Amino acid sequence: MARNASSEHRLPQLLGALCERLPEDRIAAVEHIFEMATGPDDVLVSRFIADQSAAGLAHQLTEIIHAWRAEAPGLTGAGLALALATARSSPRPKPAQVVISGPLSASVPARLTSGVVIEVIRSAATSLLIASFAAYGAQDVVEEIGDAVDRGVQVDLLLEESTQASAAFRKLPKEVQVWHREGAPGVLHAKLIAADRHTAFLGSANMTDRAFFENIELGVLLRDPRLVEPLVEHFHWLLAPGSGVMRRA
């Protein structure tokens, strides 16, 4: 009986999907576990999977183990680690990723808002653009922004004046530029973090501890410059003196 063609290629597809989801250091950690494993039923692997807290990641890794056992039972852990390393090194477009705050679903791959915010800020090499309607607490984020300034990143904070959001960032260096909406009936309600022109996080979450850890929030992480550049250009236009939309605080 002929095997289903899609099942024959399930393991490579699952490894590729894992590489698309995780940053380099996390993929390297998975490779290390696979390399030490004797096979798909090694307790080392099952313990590693059980320790994963990111939404849907344990399920994703379990699917890889099931495919390893069904499709390549003779493949060593070192062999699987090499396959994952090969997939990681192959250039591929990075798809958008779902980002959430609140309850986690065990079967839906998603990432947590708090971790994504830090990751995007750390990825900035030259510029960081942040827009938020409200801001309160979020000291880890404030510290990361300060670290970005220390490494020479230009930071622009677009904040809603009526919520006094700028108070959350008062300890940041003077090099940080804070912007408010210029006299208009509407408010600045956008939530965006853009690193350079390559990565952006946008969604419903404000820059607050409740939005990062308690509320039910939804967002998306974009790592495609073709999508990120128009976002950055739009906000640069908003900040331009001739637009009359934003003013320096």
Side-chain angles (χ1 to χ4, degrees), residues 103-122:
L104 304 178
S105 168
S107 59
V108 179
R111 301 189 60 192
L112 293 175
T113 300
S114 55
V116 167
V117 168
I118 297 298
E119 177 184 317
V120 173
I121 294 172
R122 288 179 178 176

Side-chain angles (χ1 to χ4, degrees), residues 224-235:
D224 185 341
R226 295 171 299 177
L227 299 176
V228 176
E229 286 185 4
L231 288 172
V232 174
E233 283 299 323
H234 173 68
F235 278 88

Side-chain angles (χ1 to χ4, degrees), residues 28-208:
V30 177
E31 290 174 12
H32 180 64
I33 293 297
F34 285 164
E35 190 170 20
M36 294 191 297
T38 57
D41 297 311
D42 195 312
V43 67
L44 184 68
V45 175
S46 59
R47 286 175 179 170
F48 177 78
I49 293 175
D51 288 339
Q52 302 310 305
S53 59
L57 180 55
H59 176 79
Q60 194 171 6
L61 290 170
T62 299
E63 288 295 297
I64 290 175
I65 300 308
H66 287 167
W68 182 9
R69 185 183 299 116
E71 300 171 17
L75 183 67
T76 65
L80 186 63
L82 179 60
L84 183 57
T86 302
R88 175 164 60 97
S89 65
S90 301
R92 63 178 67 229
K94 297 181 178 180
Q97 294 181 330
V98 175
V99 181
I100 62 171
S101 298
L104 304 178
S105 168
S107 59
V108 179
R111 301 189 60 192
L112 293 175
T113 300
S114 55
V116 167
V117 168
I118 297 298
E119 177 184 317
V120 173
I121 294 172
R122 288 179 178 176
S123 72
T126 60
S127 65
L128 190 60
L129 191 151
I130 298 175
S132 188
F133 174 74
Y136 183 79
Q139 288 304 303
D140 289 347
V141 174
V142 174
E143 291 177 6
E144 288 293 340
I145 295 173
D147 290 344
V149 174
D150 290 342
R151 63 177 183 267
V153 176
Q154 170 63 48
V155 179
D156 289 287
L157 300 179
L158 289 70
L159 304 171
E160 172 53 33
E161 190 171 16
S162 66
T163 64
Q164 300 180 336
S166 59
F169 306 99
R170 62 182 180 274
K171 294 183 179 180
L172 287 175
K174 64 181 185 302
E175 291 89 346
V176 174
Q177 300 187 70
V178 177
W179 302 82
H180 294 318
R181 180 81 185 267
E182 186 69 71
V187 298
L188 188 151
H189 202 252
K191 294 91 176 179
L192 169 73
I193 304 176
D196 304 332
R197 293 172 177 265
H198 55 69
T199 304
F201 168 59
L202 61 158
S204 62
N206 283 302
M207 300 285 286
T208 68

